[in-house]
Amino acid sequence: MRIACWQTLTRPSDVTGALARLRVRAAEAAAAGARLLVTPEMSLTGYNIGSRGLRRLAEPESGPMCEEVSRIAAESGIAIVHGWPELAGERVYNSVRVVGADGTGLASYRKTHLFGAIDRMSFSAGETGVVQADVDGLTVGLIVCYDVEFPELVRAHALRGTELLVVPTALMSPWHFVAETLVPARAFESQLFLAYTNWTGRERDLEYCGLTRVVGPDGRVTGIDAGASDGLLVTDLDLSLIAEVRAETPYLTDRRPELY
């Protein structure tokens, strides 16, 4: 299966512009043969826009932002993973949603591990760990940024059958080692594909480090590392590799959870 990751320059709070750019990138990804497009954390609004800005822009899943993404997916014929500030009652969640190529909402996930004051001042923590969707027969799992730094959550996805774990992120400098070292380790130890999709450029006091990548179950980056550029990373997933790696290094079957 071919997928695309969109690493994009930040333009804080520009929802209209974000949706317009998403429409262009979705069409480009579909033309390149991709069946799924993954975007960064909070891709419709920007991430570091402050609690007031997030609350002002927050909408429920039935709101106009998500509805427009559904239209873009249907127009382009490609499934899309996007992030937005989800309003639920009085709470705002850092949420990610996957939309099918026909525009149907397939699943949504609320970030469960909040990163420092920047998250805790703006968001409530989600309470559901493993969220999955079927995209063209591929079992896709959803987590967000800091979540991937908790091996228990990634392993839970592997045990529940996730084949591709998508990780929209807002990784900033100087934490390059997360993308370069930790993300490949997570893919290898849980033996699944992992699509880590970041912003690039500066947003207020944060400098995003890019480094968008798709990592295979063997821990190797597939395709080309996106570096710090603004654009699409398109790569093919050889799903047979999951079974091959799990047979060679049977972490999942050799576990002894009764000891942990």
Side-chain angles (χ1 to χ4, degrees), residues 195-220:
Y196 191 76
T197 308
N198 197 18
W199 294 97
T200 189
R202 176 171 288 276
E203 187 178 54
R204 299 174 73 180
D205 60 337
L206 297 184
E207 183 74 30
Y208 298 117
C209 54
L211 300 175
T212 291
R213 59 198 48 215
V214 178
V215 183
D218 54 1
R220 298 179 181 178

mmCIF file with all atom_site columns, all heavy atoms in Angstrom, residues 195-220:
data_model
loop_
_atom_site.group_PDB
_atom_site.id
_atom_site.type_symbol
_atom_site.label_atom_id
_atom_site.label_alt_id
_atom_site.label_comp_id
_atom_site.label_asym_id
_atom_site.label_entity_id
_atom_site.label_seq_id
_atom_site.pdbx_PDB_ins_code
_atom_site.Cartn_x
_atom_site.Cartn_y
_atom_site.Cartn_z
_atom_site.occupancy
_atom_site.B_iso_or_equiv
_atom_site.pdbx_formal_charge
_atom_site.auth_seq_id
_atom_site.auth_comp_id
_atom_site.auth_asym_id
_atom_site.auth_atom_id
_atom_site.pdbx_PDB_model_num
ATOM 1   N N   . ALA A 1 195 ? 4.222  5.817  10.836 1.00 0.00 ? 195 ALA A N   1
ATOM 2   C CA  . ALA A 1 195 ? 4.304  7.036  10.031 1.00 0.00 ? 195 ALA A CA  1
ATOM 3   C C   . ALA A 1 195 ? 4.312  8.245  10.962 1.00 0.00 ? 195 ALA A C   1
ATOM 4   O O   . ALA A 1 195 ? 3.279  8.602  11.535 1.00 0.00 ? 195 ALA A O   1
ATOM 5   C CB  . ALA A 1 195 ? 3.139  7.123  9.058  1.00 0.00 ? 195 ALA A CB  1
ATOM 6   N N   . TYR A 1 196 ? 5.480  8.838  11.110 1.00 0.00 ? 196 TYR A N   1
ATOM 7   C CA  . TYR A 1 196 ? 5.702  9.947  12.045 1.00 0.00 ? 196 TYR A CA  1
ATOM 8   C C   . TYR A 1 196 ? 5.754  11.231 11.230 1.00 0.00 ? 196 TYR A C   1
ATOM 9   O O   . TYR A 1 196 ? 6.680  11.439 10.437 1.00 0.00 ? 196 TYR A O   1
ATOM 10  C CB  . TYR A 1 196 ? 7.025  9.701  12.774 1.00 0.00 ? 196 TYR A CB  1
ATOM 11  C CG  . TYR A 1 196 ? 7.323  10.587 13.947 1.00 0.00 ? 196 TYR A CG  1
ATOM 12  C CD1 . TYR A 1 196 ? 6.689  10.409 15.172 1.00 0.00 ? 196 TYR A CD1 1
ATOM 13  C CD2 . TYR A 1 196 ? 8.281  11.598 13.853 1.00 0.00 ? 196 TYR A CD2 1
ATOM 14  C CE1 . TYR A 1 196 ? 6.995  11.205 16.265 1.00 0.00 ? 196 TYR A CE1 1
ATOM 15  C CE2 . TYR A 1 196 ? 8.586  12.399 14.936 1.00 0.00 ? 196 TYR A CE2 1
ATOM 16  C CZ  . TYR A 1 196 ? 7.937  12.191 16.138 1.00 0.00 ? 196 TYR A CZ  1
ATOM 17  O OH  . TYR A 1 196 ? 8.250  12.980 17.227 1.00 0.00 ? 196 TYR A OH  1
ATOM 18  N N   . THR A 1 197 ? 4.752  12.107 11.396 1.00 0.00 ? 197 THR A N   1
ATOM 19  C CA  . THR A 1 197 ? 4.568  13.244 10.493 1.00 0.00 ? 197 THR A CA  1
ATOM 20  C C   . THR A 1 197 ? 4.592  14.551 11.273 1.00 0.00 ? 197 THR A C   1
ATOM 21  O O   . THR A 1 197 ? 3.736  14.790 12.127 1.00 0.00 ? 197 THR A O   1
ATOM 22  C CB  . THR A 1 197 ? 3.241  13.100 9.730  1.00 0.00 ? 197 THR A CB  1
ATOM 23  O OG1 . THR A 1 197 ? 3.197  11.804 9.113  1.00 0.00 ? 197 THR A OG1 1
ATOM 24  C CG2 . THR A 1 197 ? 3.112  14.162 8.664  1.00 0.00 ? 197 THR A CG2 1
ATOM 25  N N   . ASN A 1 198 ? 5.547  15.406 10.954 1.00 0.00 ? 198 ASN A N   1
ATOM 26  C CA  . ASN A 1 198 ? 5.836  16.595 11.762 1.00 0.00 ? 198 ASN A CA  1
ATOM 27  C C   . ASN A 1 198 ? 5.638  17.889 10.972 1.00 0.00 ? 198 ASN A C   1
ATOM 28  O O   . ASN A 1 198 ? 5.572  17.900 9.742  1.00 0.00 ? 198 ASN A O   1
ATOM 29  C CB  . ASN A 1 198 ? 7.284  16.523 12.262 1.00 0.00 ? 198 ASN A CB  1
ATOM 30  C CG  . ASN A 1 198 ? 7.568  17.470 13.414 1.00 0.00 ? 198 ASN A CG  1
ATOM 31  O OD1 . ASN A 1 198 ? 6.654  17.952 14.081 1.00 0.00 ? 198 ASN A OD1 1
ATOM 32  N ND2 . ASN A 1 198 ? 8.838  17.731 13.660 1.00 0.00 ? 198 ASN A ND2 1
ATOM 33  N N   . TRP A 1 199 ? 5.588  18.986 11.715 1.00 0.00 ? 199 TRP A N   1
ATOM 34  C CA  . TRP A 1 199 ? 5.668  20.328 11.159 1.00 0.00 ? 199 TRP A CA  1
ATOM 35  C C   . TRP A 1 199 ? 7.126  20.669 10.841 1.00 0.00 ? 199 TRP A C   1
ATOM 36  O O   . TRP A 1 199 ? 8.044  19.989 11.299 1.00 0.00 ? 199 TRP A O   1
ATOM 37  C CB  . TRP A 1 199 ? 5.174  21.355 12.179 1.00 0.00 ? 199 TRP A CB  1
ATOM 38  C CG  . TRP A 1 199 ? 3.733  21.288 12.552 1.00 0.00 ? 199 TRP A CG  1
ATOM 39  C CD1 . TRP A 1 199 ? 3.198  20.668 13.650 1.00 0.00 ? 199 TRP A CD1 1
ATOM 40  C CD2 . TRP A 1 199 ? 2.635  21.893 11.861 1.00 0.00 ? 199 TRP A CD2 1
ATOM 41  N NE1 . TRP A 1 199 ? 1.845  20.847 13.679 1.00 0.00 ? 199 TRP A NE1 1
ATOM 42  C CE2 . TRP A 1 199 ? 1.467  21.595 12.595 1.00 0.00 ? 199 TRP A CE2 1
ATOM 43  C CE3 . TRP A 1 199 ? 2.533  22.652 10.696 1.00 0.00 ? 199 TRP A CE3 1
ATOM 44  C CZ2 . TRP A 1 199 ? 0.204  22.038 12.202 1.00 0.00 ? 199 TRP A CZ2 1
ATOM 45  C CZ3 . TRP A 1 199 ? 1.281  23.097 10.302 1.00 0.00 ? 199 TRP A CZ3 1
ATOM 46  C CH2 . TRP A 1 199 ? 0.135  22.796 11.046 1.00 0.00 ? 199 TRP A CH2 1
ATOM 47  N N   . THR A 1 200 ? 7.322  21.758 10.131 1.00 0.00 ? 200 THR A N   1
ATOM 48  C CA  . THR A 1 200 ? 8.637  22.354 9.965  1.00 0.00 ? 200 THR A CA  1
ATOM 49  C C   . THR A 1 200 ? 8.483  23.864 10.086 1.00 0.00 ? 200 THR A C   1
ATOM 50  O O   . THR A 1 200 ? 7.386  24.402 9.933  1.00 0.00 ? 200 THR A O   1
ATOM 51  C CB  . THR A 1 200 ? 9.285  21.961 8.622  1.00 0.00 ? 200 THR A CB  1
ATOM 52  O OG1 . THR A 1 200 ? 10.634 22.400 8.595  1.00 0.00 ? 200 THR A OG1 1
ATOM 53  C CG2 . THR A 1 200 ? 8.527  22.526 7.442  1.00 0.00 ? 200 THR A CG2 1
ATOM 54  N N   . GLY A 1 201 ? 9.578  24.568 10.403 1.00 0.00 ? 201 GLY A N   1
ATOM 55  C CA  . GLY A 1 201 ? 9.508  26.006 10.577 1.00 0.00 ? 201 GLY A CA  1
ATOM 56  C C   . GLY A 1 201 ? 9.258  26.409 12.023 1.00 0.00 ? 201 GLY A C   1
ATOM 57  O O   . GLY A 1 201 ? 9.268  25.580 12.931 1.00 0.00 ? 201 GLY A O   1
ATOM 58  N N   . ARG A 1 202 ? 9.013  27.698 12.244 1.00 0.00 ? 202 ARG A N   1
ATOM 59  C CA  . ARG A 1 202 ? 8.845  28.258 13.587 1.00 0.00 ? 202 ARG A CA  1
ATOM 60  C C   . ARG A 1 202 ? 7.396  28.652 13.829 1.00 0.00 ? 202 ARG A C   1
ATOM 61  O O   . ARG A 1 202 ? 6.724  29.188 12.939 1.00 0.00 ? 202 ARG A O   1
ATOM 62  C CB  . ARG A 1 202 ? 9.742  29.488 13.772 1.00 0.00 ? 202 ARG A CB  1
ATOM 63  C CG  . ARG A 1 202 ? 9.567  30.194 15.115 1.00 0.00 ? 202 ARG A CG  1
ATOM 64  C CD  . ARG A 1 202 ? 10.628 31.251 15.330 1.00 0.00 ? 202 ARG A CD  1
ATOM 65  N NE  . ARG A 1 202 ? 11.928 30.644 15.600 1.00 0.00 ? 202 ARG A NE  1
ATOM 66  C CZ  . ARG A 1 202 ? 12.312 30.236 16.807 1.00 0.00 ? 202 ARG A CZ  1
ATOM 67  N NH1 . ARG A 1 202 ? 11.516 30.360 17.854 1.00 0.00 ? 202 ARG A NH1 1
ATOM 68  N NH2 . ARG A 1 202 ? 13.506 29.687 16.965 1.00 0.00 ? 202 ARG A NH2 1
ATOM 69  N N   . GLU A 1 203 ? 6.939  28.369 15.044 1.00 0.00 ? 203 GLU A N   1
ATOM 70  C CA  . GLU A 1 203 ? 5.596  28.758 15.481 1.00 0.00 ? 203 GLU A CA  1
ATOM 71  C C   . GLU A 1 203 ? 5.730  29.369 16.878 1.00 0.00 ? 203 GLU A C   1
ATOM 72  O O   . GLU A 1 203 ? 5.999  28.670 17.849 1.00 0.00 ? 203 GLU A O   1
ATOM 73  C CB  . GLU A 1 203 ? 4.670  27.543 15.504 1.00 0.00 ? 203 GLU A CB  1
ATOM 74  C CG  . GLU A 1 203 ? 3.216  27.881 15.776 1.00 0.00 ? 203 GLU A CG  1
ATOM 75  C CD  . GLU A 1 203 ? 2.358  26.631 15.744 1.00 0.00 ? 203 GLU A CD  1
ATOM 76  O OE1 . GLU A 1 203 ? 2.677  25.661 16.464 1.00 0.00 ? 203 GLU A OE1 1
ATOM 77  O OE2 . GLU A 1 203 ? 1.356  26.621 15.009 1.00 0.00 ? 203 GLU A OE2 1
ATOM 78  N N   . ARG A 1 204 ? 5.587  30.701 16.948 1.00 0.00 ? 204 ARG A N   1
ATOM 79  C CA  . ARG A 1 204 ? 5.849  31.440 18.184 1.00 0.00 ? 204 ARG A CA  1
ATOM 80  C C   . ARG A 1 204 ? 7.246  31.079 18.703 1.00 0.00 ? 204 ARG A C   1
ATOM 81  O O   . ARG A 1 204 ? 8.228  31.288 17.996 1.00 0.00 ? 204 ARG A O   1
ATOM 82  C CB  . ARG A 1 204 ? 4.736  31.177 19.204 1.00 0.00 ? 204 ARG A CB  1
ATOM 83  C CG  . ARG A 1 204 ? 3.351  31.629 18.705 1.00 0.00 ? 204 ARG A CG  1
ATOM 84  C CD  . ARG A 1 204 ? 2.240  31.257 19.628 1.00 0.00 ? 204 ARG A CD  1
ATOM 85  N NE  . ARG A 1 204 ? 2.233  32.073 20.855 1.00 0.00 ? 204 ARG A NE  1
ATOM 86  C CZ  . ARG A 1 204 ? 1.335  31.903 21.812 1.00 0.00 ? 204 ARG A CZ  1
ATOM 87  N NH1 . ARG A 1 204 ? 0.404  30.950 21.703 1.00 0.00 ? 204 ARG A NH1 1
ATOM 88  N NH2 . ARG A 1 204 ? 1.353  32.680 22.882 1.00 0.00 ? 204 ARG A NH2 1
ATOM 89  N N   . ASP A 1 205 ? 7.371  30.513 19.894 1.00 0.00 ? 205 ASP A N   1
ATOM 90  C CA  . ASP A 1 205 ? 8.695  30.241 20.456 1.00 0.00 ? 205 ASP A CA  1
ATOM 91  C C   . ASP A 1 205 ? 9.197  28.833 20.176 1.00 0.00 ? 205 ASP A C   1
ATOM 92  O O   . ASP A 1 205 ? 10.220 28.421 20.719 1.00 0.00 ? 205 ASP A O   1
ATOM 93  C CB  . ASP A 1 205 ? 8.689  30.493 21.966 1.00 0.00 ? 205 ASP A CB  1
ATOM 94  C CG  . ASP A 1 205 ? 7.681  29.621 22.699 1.00 0.00 ? 205 ASP A CG  1
ATOM 95  O OD1 . ASP A 1 205 ? 6.709  29.155 22.063 1.00 0.00 ? 205 ASP A OD1 1
ATOM 96  O OD2 . ASP A 1 205 ? 7.848  29.407 23.910 1.00 0.00 ? 205 ASP A OD2 1
ATOM 97  N N   . LEU A 1 206 ? 8.512  28.082 19.333 1.00 0.00 ? 206 LEU A N   1
ATOM 98  C CA  . LEU A 1 206 ? 8.936  26.720 19.019 1.00 0.00 ? 206 LEU A CA  1
ATOM 99  C C   . LEU A 1 206 ? 9.511  26.643 17.606 1.00 0.00 ? 206 LEU A C   1
ATOM 100 O O   . LEU A 1 206 ? 8.955  27.217 16.671 1.00 0.00 ? 206 LEU A O   1
ATOM 101 C CB  . LEU A 1 206 ? 7.756  25.736 19.124 1.00 0.00 ? 206 LEU A CB  1
ATOM 102 C CG  . LEU A 1 206 ? 7.101  25.572 20.493 1.00 0.00 ? 206 LEU A CG  1
ATOM 103 C CD1 . LEU A 1 206 ? 6.026  24.494 20.416 1.00 0.00 ? 206 LEU A CD1 1
ATOM 104 C CD2 . LEU A 1 206 ? 8.121  25.239 21.564 1.00 0.00 ? 206 LEU A CD2 1
ATOM 105 N N   . GLU A 1 207 ? 10.587 25.894 17.472 1.00 0.00 ? 207 GLU A N   1
ATOM 106 C CA  . GLU A 1 207 ? 11.185 25.607 16.165 1.00 0.00 ? 207 GLU A CA  1
ATOM 107 C C   . GLU A 1 207 ? 11.011 24.117 15.900 1.00 0.00 ? 207 GLU A C   1
ATOM 108 O O   . GLU A 1 207 ? 11.597 23.285 16.590 1.00 0.00 ? 207 GLU A O   1
ATOM 109 C CB  . GLU A 1 207 ? 12.669 25.961 16.155 1.00 0.00 ? 207 GLU A CB  1
ATOM 110 C CG  . GLU A 1 207 ? 13.344 25.760 14.803 1.00 0.00 ? 207 GLU A CG  1
ATOM 111 C CD  . GLU A 1 207 ? 12.976 26.824 13.790 1.00 0.00 ? 207 GLU A CD  1
ATOM 112 O OE1 . GLU A 1 207 ? 12.697 27.973 14.200 1.00 0.00 ? 207 GLU A OE1 1
ATOM 113 O OE2 . GLU A 1 207 ? 12.967 26.505 12.585 1.00 0.00 ? 207 GLU A OE2 1
ATOM 114 N N   . TYR A 1 208 ? 10.172 23.771 14.944 1.00 0.00 ? 208 TYR A N   1
ATOM 115 C CA  . TYR A 1 208 ? 9.917  22.364 14.647 1.00 0.00 ? 208 TYR A CA  1
ATOM 116 C C   . TYR A 1 208 ? 11.059 21.791 13.817 1.00 0.00 ? 208 TYR A C   1
ATOM 117 O O   . TYR A 1 208 ? 11.627 22.468 12.955 1.00 0.00 ? 208 TYR A O   1
ATOM 118 C CB  . TYR A 1 208 ? 8.582  22.206 13.920 1.00 0.00 ? 208 TYR A CB  1
ATOM 119 C CG  . TYR A 1 208 ? 7.416  22.664 14.762 1.00 0.00 ? 208 TYR A CG  1
ATOM 120 C CD1 . TYR A 1 208 ? 6.618  23.736 14.362 1.00 0.00 ? 208 TYR A CD1 1
ATOM 121 C CD2 . TYR A 1 208 ? 7.120  22.046 15.970 1.00 0.00 ? 208 TYR A CD2 1
ATOM 122 C CE1 . TYR A 1 208 ? 5.554  24.164 15.136 1.00 0.00 ? 208 TYR A CE1 1
ATOM 123 C CE2 . TYR A 1 208 ? 6.061  22.473 16.751 1.00 0.00 ? 208 TYR A CE2 1
ATOM 124 C CZ  . TYR A 1 208 ? 5.286  23.531 16.331 1.00 0.00 ? 208 TYR A CZ  1
ATOM 125 O OH  . TYR A 1 208 ? 4.235  23.960 17.108 1.00 0.00 ? 208 TYR A OH  1
ATOM 126 N N   . CYS A 1 209 ? 11.374 20.527 14.066 1.00 0.00 ? 209 CYS A N   1
ATOM 127 C CA  . CYS A 1 209 ? 12.569 19.960 13.452 1.00 0.00 ? 209 CYS A CA  1
ATOM 128 C C   . CYS A 1 209 ? 12.278 19.058 12.249 1.00 0.00 ? 209 CYS A C   1
ATOM 129 O O   . CYS A 1 209 ? 13.193 18.414 11.734 1.00 0.00 ? 209 CYS A O   1
ATOM 130 C CB  . CYS A 1 209 ? 13.402 19.212 14.491 1.00 0.00 ? 209 CYS A CB  1
ATOM 131 S SG  . CYS A 1 209 ? 12.535 17.959 15.430 1.00 0.00 ? 209 CYS A SG  1
ATOM 132 N N   . GLY A 1 210 ? 11.031 19.025 11.774 1.00 0.00 ? 210 GLY A N   1
ATOM 133 C CA  . GLY A 1 210 ? 10.766 18.208 10.592 1.00 0.00 ? 210 GLY A CA  1
ATOM 134 C C   . GLY A 1 210 ? 11.024 16.745 10.863 1.00 0.00 ? 210 GLY A C   1
ATOM 135 O O   . GLY A 1 210 ? 10.444 16.160 11.768 1.00 0.00 ? 210 GLY A O   1
ATOM 136 N N   . LEU A 1 211 ? 11.887 16.135 10.059 1.00 0.00 ? 211 LEU A N   1
ATOM 137 C CA  . LEU A 1 211 ? 12.292 14.735 10.214 1.00 0.00 ? 211 LEU A CA  1
ATOM 138 C C   . LEU A 1 211 ? 11.124 13.764 10.090 1.00 0.00 ? 211 LEU A C   1
ATOM 139 O O   . LEU A 1 211 ? 11.135 12.676 10.666 1.00 0.00 ? 211 LEU A O   1
ATOM 140 C CB  . LEU A 1 211 ? 13.007 14.518 11.560 1.00 0.00 ? 211 LEU A CB  1
ATOM 141 C CG  . LEU A 1 211 ? 14.288 15.342 11.768 1.00 0.00 ? 211 LEU A CG  1
ATOM 142 C CD1 . LEU A 1 211 ? 14.837 15.128 13.173 1.00 0.00 ? 211 LEU A CD1 1
ATOM 143 C CD2 . LEU A 1 211 ? 15.328 14.976 10.724 1.00 0.00 ? 211 LEU A CD2 1
ATOM 144 N N   . THR A 1 212 ? 10.121 14.152 9.326  1.00 0.00 ? 212 THR A N   1
ATOM 145 C CA  . THR A 1 212 ? 9.025  13.232 9.017  1.00 0.00 ? 212 THR A CA  1
ATOM 146 C C   . THR A 1 212 ? 9.590  11.972 8.385  1.00 0.00 ? 212 THR A C   1
ATOM 147 O O   . THR A 1 212 ? 10.470 12.030 7.528  1.00 0.00 ? 212 THR A O   1
ATOM 148 C CB  . THR A 1 212 ? 8.022  13.915 8.073  1.00 0.00 ? 212 THR A CB  1
ATOM 149 O OG1 . THR A 1 212 ? 7.354  14.947 8.801  1.00 0.00 ? 212 THR A OG1 1
ATOM 150 C CG2 . THR A 1 212 ? 7.005  12.934 7.519  1.00 0.00 ? 212 THR A CG2 1
ATOM 151 N N   . ARG A 1 213 ? 9.065  10.823 8.792  1.00 0.00 ? 213 ARG A N   1
ATOM 152 C CA  . ARG A 1 213 ? 9.594  9.560  8.283  1.00 0.00 ? 213 ARG A CA  1
ATOM 153 C C   . ARG A 1 213 ? 8.558  8.445  8.425  1.00 0.00 ? 213 ARG A C   1
ATOM 154 O O   . ARG A 1 213 ? 7.678  8.504  9.279  1.00 0.00 ? 213 ARG A O   1
ATOM 155 C CB  . ARG A 1 213 ? 10.856 9.176  9.043  1.00 0.00 ? 213 ARG A CB  1
ATOM 156 C CG  . ARG A 1 213 ? 10.633 9.027  10.531 1.00 0.00 ? 213 ARG A CG  1
ATOM 157 C CD  . ARG A 1 213 ? 11.927 9.073  11.317 1.00 0.00 ? 213 ARG A CD  1
ATOM 158 N NE  . ARG A 1 213 ? 12.735 10.189 10.892 1.00 0.00 ? 213 ARG A NE  1
ATOM 159 C CZ  . ARG A 1 213 ? 14.077 10.159 10.834 1.00 0.00 ? 213 ARG A CZ  1
ATOM 160 N NH1 . ARG A 1 213 ? 14.739 9.084  11.185 1.00 0.00 ? 213 ARG A NH1 1
ATOM 161 N NH2 . ARG A 1 213 ? 14.752 11.208 10.447 1.00 0.00 ? 213 ARG A NH2 1
ATOM 162 N N   . VAL A 1 214 ? 8.683  7.452  7.584  1.00 0.00 ? 214 VAL A N   1
ATOM 163 C CA  . VAL A 1 214 ? 7.935  6.207  7.719  1.00 0.00 ? 214 VAL A CA  1
ATOM 164 C C   . VAL A 1 214 ? 8.958  5.123  8.012  1.00 0.00 ? 214 VAL A C   1
ATOM 165 O O   . VAL A 1 214 ? 9.935  4.955  7.274  1.00 0.00 ? 214 VAL A O   1
ATOM 166 C CB  . VAL A 1 214 ? 7.135  5.872  6.450  1.00 0.00 ? 214 VAL A CB  1
ATOM 167 C CG1 . VAL A 1 214 ? 6.412  4.534  6.619  1.00 0.00 ? 214 VAL A CG1 1
ATOM 168 C CG2 . VAL A 1 214 ? 6.137  6.984  6.133  1.00 0.00 ? 214 VAL A CG2 1
ATOM 169 N N   . VAL A 1 215 ? 8.750  4.400  9.100  1.00 0.00 ? 215 VAL A N   1
ATOM 170 C CA  . VAL A 1 215 ? 9.698  3.379  9.545  1.00 0.00 ? 215 VAL A CA  1
ATOM 171 C C   . VAL A 1 215 ? 9.029  2.013  9.448  1.00 0.00 ? 215 VAL A C   1
ATOM 172 O O   . VAL A 1 215 ? 7.864  1.853  9.822  1.00 0.00 ? 215 VAL A O   1
ATOM 173 C CB  . VAL A 1 215 ? 10.164 3.646  10.991 1.00 0.00 ? 215 VAL A CB  1
ATOM 174 C CG1 . VAL A 1 215 ? 11.207 2.628  11.411 1.00 0.00 ? 215 VAL A CG1 1
ATOM 175 C CG2 . VAL A 1 215 ? 10.716 5.057  11.131 1.00 0.00 ? 215 VAL A CG2 1
ATOM 176 N N   . GLY A 1 216 ? 9.778  1.041  8.950  1.00 0.00 ? 216 GLY A N   1
ATOM 177 C CA  . GLY A 1 216 ? 9.255  -0.303 8.816  1.00 0.00 ? 216 GLY A CA  1
ATOM 178 C C   . GLY A 1 216 ? 9.390  -1.116 10.091 1.00 0.00 ? 216 GLY A C   1
ATOM 179 O O   . GLY A 1 216 ? 10.055 -0.694 11.049 1.00 0.00 ? 216 GLY A O   1
ATOM 180 N N   . PRO A 1 217 ? 8.797  -2.308 10.129 1.00 0.00 ? 217 PRO A N   1
ATOM 181 C CA  . PRO A 1 217 ? 8.889  -3.165 11.315 1.00 0.00 ? 217 PRO A CA  1
ATOM 182 C C   . PRO A 1 217 ? 10.285 -3.687 11.589 1.00 0.00 ? 217 PRO A C   1
ATOM 183 O O   . PRO A 1 217 ? 10.539 -4.249 12.660 1.00 0.00 ? 217 PRO A O   1
ATOM 184 C CB  . PRO A 1 217 ? 7.922  -4.307 10.992 1.00 0.00 ? 217 PRO A CB  1
ATOM 185 C CG  . PRO A 1 217 ? 7.835  -4.339 9.503  1.00 0.00 ? 217 PRO A CG  1
ATOM 186 C CD  . PRO A 1 217 ? 7.962  -2.913 9.073  1.00 0.00 ? 217 PRO A CD  1
ATOM 187 N N   . ASP A 1 218 ? 11.202 -3.472 10.651 1.00 0.00 ? 218 ASP A N   1
ATOM 188 C CA  . ASP A 1 218 ? 12.608 -3.826 10.859 1.00 0.00 ? 218 ASP A CA  1
ATOM 189 C C   . ASP A 1 218 ? 13.412 -2.647 11.395 1.00 0.00 ? 218 ASP A C   1
ATOM 190 O O   . ASP A 1 218 ? 14.636 -2.726 11.537 1.00 0.00 ? 218 ASP A O   1
ATOM 191 C CB  . ASP A 1 218 ? 13.241 -4.320 9.558  1.00 0.00 ? 218 ASP A CB  1
ATOM 192 C CG  . ASP A 1 218 ? 13.070 -3.343 8.409  1.00 0.00 ? 218 ASP A CG  1
ATOM 193 O OD1 . ASP A 1 218 ? 12.479 -2.256 8.612  1.00 0.00 ? 218 ASP A OD1 1
ATOM 194 O OD2 . ASP A 1 218 ? 13.535 -3.649 7.298  1.00 0.00 ? 218 ASP A OD2 1
ATOM 195 N N   . GLY A 1 219 ? 12.733 -1.527 11.695 1.00 0.00 ? 219 GLY A N   1
ATOM 196 C CA  . GLY A 1 219 ? 13.397 -0.360 12.237 1.00 0.00 ? 219 GLY A CA  1
ATOM 197 C C   . GLY A 1 219 ? 14.051 0.540  11.210 1.00 0.00 ? 219 GLY A C   1
ATOM 198 O O   . GLY A 1 219 ? 14.681 1.536  11.571 1.00 0.00 ? 219 GLY A O   1
ATOM 199 N N   . ARG A 1 220 ? 13.903 0.230  9.947  1.00 0.00 ? 220 ARG A N   1
ATOM 200 C CA  . ARG A 1 220 ? 14.543 1.017  8.894  1.00 0.00 ? 220 ARG A CA  1
ATOM 201 C C   . ARG A 1 220 ? 13.566 2.045  8.319  1.00 0.00 ? 220 ARG A C   1
ATOM 202 O O   . ARG A 1 220 ? 12.387 1.762  8.130  1.00 0.00 ? 220 ARG A O   1
ATOM 203 C CB  . ARG A 1 220 ? 15.042 0.106  7.776  1.00 0.00 ? 220 ARG A CB  1
ATOM 204 C CG  . ARG A 1 220 ? 16.110 -0.888 8.234  1.00 0.00 ? 220 ARG A CG  1
ATOM 205 C CD  . ARG A 1 220 ? 16.557 -1.777 7.097  1.00 0.00 ? 220 ARG A CD  1
ATOM 206 N NE  . ARG A 1 220 ? 17.569 -2.742 7.548  1.00 0.00 ? 220 ARG A NE  1
ATOM 207 C CZ  . ARG A 1 220 ? 18.106 -3.674 6.776  1.00 0.00 ? 220 ARG A CZ  1
ATOM 208 N NH1 . ARG A 1 220 ? 17.728 -3.771 5.494  1.00 0.00 ? 220 ARG A NH1 1
ATOM 209 N NH2 . ARG A 1 220 ? 19.007 -4.515 7.265  1.00 0.00 ? 220 ARG A NH2 1
#
